[in-house]
Amino acid sequence: MTEKPPASAGPGRPKDLAKREAILDAAQVLFLSNGYEGSSMEAIAAEAGVSKLTLYSHFKDKEALFGEAVKTTCETRLPRKLFVLAEGCSIRQVLLDIGHAFQALVNSPESIGLHRVMVAMATQNPALSRMFFDAGPQRLLLDLEQLLSQAKQRGLLDMDEPMRAAEHFCSLIKGAAHFRLLIGYAALPAPGGAQEHVEDCVALFLRAYGIGESSPIAENSAQR
């Protein structure tokens, strides 16, 4: 159920960015520790050290706060600059940078905890599940789709459906390790193993979609 602001809540004073960040930090802590339903707006306001009026001046309800918390986490861990295709860049290096950042995000304790919360909420609140997907995973897929489309236009990659290729890339990076983490079957992979996994995934992706100098063989030869 969506929590509504108190009747006295209005536009309020100009929004304070520091308080907004404190609210988002508090929301992440409580959503992960208490779940979505177990985290009230009152508790989040108290954790952030702000009044309910201040909280509602930034976020109209709990669902909006949850969506923004997911979006902010993704933008922090996967900044927009990773998806910029500069002139003369190595598509392999671009994919490696994105792959490492994406793997670190999805395998982080915060992300694993949030995924568990969403699985638990899936049948109770499908609308919240859609909000979570649109604010996080879907935004990543759209950014990656745009990047792959640009790479195709520049003759760096070849694919018929960039969105499908984006899904392939993310699925490769997550691999079986992510599912093991979700069910508590195993701990985080060692840094060396995680790096090797991303390198293998990018090499496999380029075997499928790389052309000319963007193929793993051509790039490795050029680096010698």
Side-chain angles (χ1 to χ4, degrees), residues 69-81:
V70 172
K71 176 183 172 183
T72 299
T73 299
C74 291
E75 289 179 346
T76 300
R77 302 294 289 269
L78 283 165
R80 306 287 303 186
K81 64 181 181 181

Side-chain angles (χ1 to χ4, degrees), residues 23-41:
I23 292 169
L24 289 171
D25 289 342
Q28 290 176 324
V29 169
L30 293 184
F31 284 142
L32 291 178
S33 59
N34 301 333
Y36 180 81
E37 293 295 345
S39 303
S40 67
M41 292 293 266

Side-chain angles (χ1 to χ4, degrees), residues 39 42 53 91 118 136 171 193:
S39 303
E42 291 86 349
L53 184 62
I91 187 62
M118 296 315 304
S171 296

